[in-house]
Amino acid sequence: MQLLKDRIRRDGIVKPGNVLKVDSFLNHQMDIPFINEIGKEFKSRFAQSPITKILTIEASGIGIACITAQYFDVPVVFAKKSQSVNLDGDMYVTKVESFTHKKVYDVILSKKYLTPQDHVLLIDDFLANGCALLGLIDIVKKSGAVLEGAGIVIEKGFQDGGKKIRDMGIHLESLAIIDSMTDSEVIFRP
Ligand code: 5GP
């Protein structure tokens, strides 16, 4: 998506440790007309899929998922990160290692909000090693819902998350795939 690539080149900041900051328009301050274009693009890429629910993970996926959901006319449900889980049987639980915080979280979702009748689109801001997405995939499997695919705004193609997800046969759409990045340059996959 050219609009996104141009914006990353203009406003993205590369930090040590292969972290790209897009705080000024995507996941701290949010440029809503711009994210609307992202929502439309996801809709066109998954137009053939009978999506009934969008699933994301807190925190930075939520805003993007909400805007995207308006184009699909479906609810958003987000998995919550939790330090300690009260396992009372009403929750799907999985473990996710955070790329940015280097911590392992329990991630939980109420069983009420994902059922075998659902057709799920996963949405997140970044795909790096794939831990967040694999956690969401595990929750979808536990729920018996149908996984229709995953929409990612920025995939870091030099980390192996994208390969893992595609090798599982999952329909993955990343709106920009970065092959390499330095302080002065971001190179996208054509
Ligand atoms: P993964 O689980 O695929 O390793 O990492 C994905 C998660 O880590 C995303 O939900 C995102 O919040 C965060 N993340 C990974 N890489 C970056 C990055 O370069 N910049 C930012 N801002 N977040 C990232």
Side-chain angles (χ1 to χ4, degrees):
M1 185 185 179
Q2 196 55 45
L3 186 73
L4 172 63
K5 292 180 186 175
D6 292 345
R7 191 66 183 264
I8 293 169
R9 284 208 173 100
R10 199 184 80 188
D11 293 334
I13 298 169
V14 179
K15 294 281 186 186
N18 274 331
V19 171
L20 175 66
K21 286 272 184 192
V22 285
D23 284 21
S24 64
F25 61 97
L26 191 66
N27 57 18
H28 195 26
Q29 173 167 263
M30 299 178 71
D31 179 338
I32 300 303
F34 172 75
I35 298 171
N36 269 319
E37 296 306 314
I38 286 177
K40 281 183 213 166
E41 183 70 22
F42 281 137
K43 175 65 189 172
S44 81
R45 293 191 187 206
F46 289 97
Q48 307 308 320
S49 306
I51 312 281
T52 62
K53 203 157 278 187
I54 289 181
L55 173 63
T56 188
I57 184 165
E58 68 177 3
S60 48
I62 297 174
I64 299 161
C66 289
I67 289 182
T68 300
Q70 297 183 95
Y71 295 97
F72 288 87
D73 204 14
V74 299
V76 172
V77 60
F78 62 91
K80 297 186 176 195
K81 292 173 183 164
S82 159
Q83 300 284 14
S84 61
V85 179
N86 183 9
L87 286 170
D88 58 8
D90 294 335
M91 298 279 182
Y92 303 117
V93 184
T94 193
K95 287 202 185 297
V96 167
E97 187 179 342
S98 158
F99 175 83
T100 32
H101 300 109
K102 309 276 177 249
K103 261 191 193 168
V104 178
Y105 293 93
D106 282 317
V107 169
I108 58 175
L109 187 80
S110 170
K111 288 185 178 173
K112 274 190 285 194
Y113 303 127
L114 209 56
T115 70
Q117 284 71 47
D118 279 315
H119 289 250
V120 181
L121 174 62
L122 307 177
I123 292 285
D124 206 0
D125 56 348
F126 275 90
L127 174 59
N129 295 323
C131 301
L133 219 42
L134 289 169
L136 293 178
I137 291 165
D138 185 45
I139 285 177
V140 173
K141 275 198 187 129
K142 285 176 169 148
S143 75
V146 178
L147 179 60
E148 292 290 342
I152 294 291
V153 181
I154 303 169
E155 177 180 335
K156 296 196 292 184
F158 51 87
Q159 292 179 248
D160 65 355
K163 180 174 174 1
K164 284 184 207 160
I165 304 296
R166 291 186 180 93
D167 284 352
M168 292 166 80
I170 291 168
H171 177 190
L172 171 64
E173 293 283 347
S174 299
L175 303 189
I177 303 181
I178 296 176
D179 271 338
S180 65
M181 56 188 197
T182 62
D183 279 356
S184 51
E185 198 181 26
V186 176
I187 296 176
F188 293 99
R189 194 164 297 176

